[in-house]
Amino acid sequence: MKETVIVLGGGIIGLSCALELQRRGHQAIVLETGRCGGQASGAAAGMLAPYSENVEGPDEFFQLCRESLALYPSWQHAVREVSGASFEYTESGSLYVASHAADLLVLEGRLLWQREHGSSGRLVEGEELRRLEPMLSPTIQAALYTPEESHVYAPDFVKALEAGCRKLGVQIHEQLEQLTSSVIGGEVVVTAASGAVFSGSLLLVCSGAWAQELEEALDVRLPIYPIRGQICAYEMEPGEPVRHMVFGPQGYLVAKANGTLVCGASEDVAGFDTTVTERGIERLRKWNKQLFPHLAERMPFHRWAGLRPATQDGLPLIGRVPGRERVILAAGHYRNGILLSPATAMLAADIIEGKGYAAFKQAFEPGRFGAPVLR
Ligand code: FAD
Ligand code: GLY
């Protein structure tokens, strides 16, 4: 059955879901309170790094991340084809650095389980490490090299997704204020302050860090919170290559094809405030120069911040809302929404079409936190 799906939110999750639904013959209508890609998705470093970002073990979150990484080559190709737009997608591999013997032990432990889950990673040191990353500080003893990881330039990728959606016939409405949703006679109706009314058969909520606003209306607890990420970029000079994504416990650096070196990112509890602070950027600078001494005297030319949608248990909420058969949620992707966008789009579309999916994905069911807590 062909559905008309109203998608709340034009970040990477909403746009990816809309694109996939439209590709499958449904009609998607994206409603966005700001501009598409104007929040977390446009602020992201664009790393597709399930191994470097999941350090604990192969839980359900890691499994979804890994599945999504495997989808990326064909997904980004499809976005390129349908949009006609260009964007960076680089299969760079990554290095997770160890400064001390204790760090190395941790990396060895991680490698053991990651090699059983699709990584061809290995520990590199000495000459080989210098060859892979010549500008890296001599104080770095070793690194875990993971060739499978890659990255996109997120702002361009989101623009391409938006262009692809439009070309396929997705209706996109931006800068809408005070959206209220209701189900009337088996139909979803969304009204904006301007008086505009949108109707469809289903509502797909992809409003990232703002999804909690619908808790009362949907009568389900949605513990999704904004965690600010402050991030900055340096101009790279010729002859100073940074070839891989470089991770450490305090952050990451990723060189982009446009000649910038992106360095992130803080994790601040600051509500919906996207201010960039001197302290936040100084902390990043201090760490950057420990890894790359050539950055010691440099100042980032660009600083920005975005709001990651964090959840209480660290897992996104993807699935039907209990007791609200016409409402589906896809939000709470925290640090990995760029990576998780194709897997989320496939899962949301499968749920809408009533298709089965792997049992581990039940861990993402939005009803798992129960009813809203009365305030
Ligand atoms: P958003 O992009 O925030 O989109 C939600 C949209 O919903 C917004 O545009 C908002 O305006 C809109 N909205 C809000 N309320 C409503 C409403 N009521 N109705 C309609 N629309 C509404 N992830 C990675 O995978 N790799 C990375 O390297 C990476 N780096 C990051 C670096 C930083 C500094 C930050 C902040 C995040 C990073 N992330 C990364 C995380 C990633 O950006 C997020 O997980 C992802 O962007 C979430 O996408 P989203 O579409 O759910 O949210
Ligand atoms: N995934 C990188 C970040 O969220 O900062």
Side-chain angles (χ1 to χ4, degrees), residues 7-15 31-49 53 176 179 206-211 213-214 227-231 252 254 264-266 304-309 330-340:
V7 180
L8 288 188
I12 194 158
I13 299 299
L15 292 171
L31 305 184
E32 164 59 56
T33 46
R35 287 280 182 208
C36 288
Q39 294 290 345
S41 303
M47 299 176 301
L48 312 175
E53 292 257 32
L176 296 167
L179 293 174
C206 303
S207 46
W210 292 264
E213 288 171 1
L214 291 178
I227 296 290
R228 182 174 66 189
Q230 299 185 53
I231 183 164
Y252 52 79
V254 50
S266 67
W304 67 100
L307 301 172
R308 304 180 186 91
H333 295 73
Y334 193 37
R335 293 179 61 97
N336 288 279
I338 308 297
L339 168 61
L340 286 170

Side-chain angles (χ1 to χ4, degrees), residues 8-324:
L8 288 188
I12 194 158
I13 299 299
L15 292 171
S16 300
C17 291
L19 189 87
E20 183 57 18
L21 287 166
Q22 202 78 17
R23 287 207 308 174
R24 295 189 189 190
H26 305 284
Q27 176 64 56
I29 303 171
V30 174
L31 305 184
E32 164 59 56
T33 46
R35 287 280 182 208
C36 288
Q39 294 290 345
S41 303
M47 299 176 301
L48 312 175
Y51 299 100
S52 301
E53 292 257 32
N54 288 277
V55 295
E56 301 298 336
D59 63 358
E60 294 89 354
F61 188 76
F62 167 78
Q63 287 185 62
L64 194 69
C65 286
R66 200 186 142 197
E67 182 178 309
S68 213
L69 180 70
L71 289 170
Y72 242 95
S74 59
W75 177 249
Q76 63 84 27
H77 181 73
V79 173
R80 215 178 280 279
E81 290 274 290
V82 72
S83 66
S86 60
F87 53 84
E88 180 188 1
Y89 168 68
T90 302
E91 294 178 330
S92 60
S94 67
L95 293 167
Y96 201 110
V97 300
S99 308
H100 308 287
D103 299 342
L104 192 55
L105 280 177
V106 172
L107 295 184
E108 279 169 358
R110 202 182 296 168
L111 184 58
L112 279 180
W113 70 261
Q114 294 193 340
R115 284 185 69 93
E116 286 176 15
H117 293 273
S119 166
S120 63
R122 60 196 166 83
L123 294 171
V124 289
E125 51 195 345
E127 274 299 297
E128 188 183 13
L129 179 56
R130 307 293 147 216
R131 223 179 13 258
L132 286 170
E133 210 54 80
M135 304 304 289
L136 203 57
S137 164
T139 61
I140 303 299
Q141 295 193 347
L144 171 51
Y145 173 45
T146 308
E148 283 76 18
E149 298 189 320
S150 49
H151 61 98
V152 291
Y153 188 68
D156 287 351
F157 186 55
V158 178
K159 277 188 199 136
L161 268 170
E162 183 188 344
C165 280
R166 288 187 194 275
K167 284 203 177 160
L168 283 186
V170 173
Q171 295 171 30
I172 301 182
H173 302 269
E174 297 175 283
Q175 297 200 306
L176 296 167
E177 284 174 25
Q178 292 170 24
L179 293 174
T180 50
S181 322
S182 46
V183 178
I184 303 168
E187 196 181 42
V188 174
V189 178
V190 180
T191 316
S194 61
V197 179
F198 308 92
S199 61
S201 49
L202 296 171
L203 182 71
L204 176 56
V205 178
C206 303
S207 46
W210 292 264
Q212 195 188 30
E213 288 171 1
L214 291 178
E215 199 171 69
E216 269 182 40
L218 297 177
D219 195 25
V220 66
R221 201 169 152 242
L222 302 174
I224 303 180
Y225 312 101
I227 296 290
R228 182 174 66 189
Q230 299 185 53
I231 183 164
C232 62
Y234 299 87
E235 302 262 23
M236 287 195 294
E237 300 289 334
E240 296 177 346
V242 176
R243 295 180 177 141
H244 303 83
M245 291 178 282
V246 179
F247 288 88
Q250 295 176 68
Y252 52 79
L253 297 102
V254 50
K256 298 291 178 185
N258 64 3
T260 64
L261 181 62
V262 173
C263 310
S266 67
E267 287 186 331
D268 315 328
V269 179
F272 288 89
D273 181 0
T274 53
T275 307
V276 178
T277 66
E278 216 37 61
R279 193 156 166 244
I281 299 299
E282 269 315 301
R283 214 200 105 255
L284 291 175
R285 280 195 66 220
K286 199 169 158 201
W287 183 73
N288 294 337
K289 61 190 179 194
Q290 283 169 16
L291 248 64
F292 286 103
H294 73 282
L295 296 177
E297 303 307 321
R298 305 268 177 86
M299 289 303 285
F301 76 101
H302 184 31
R303 309 152 178 229
W304 67 100
L307 301 172
R308 304 180 186 91
T311 66
Q312 185 178 311
D313 62 3
L315 305 180
L317 282 68
I318 311 171
R320 282 191 196 271
V321 174
R324 298 277 188 283

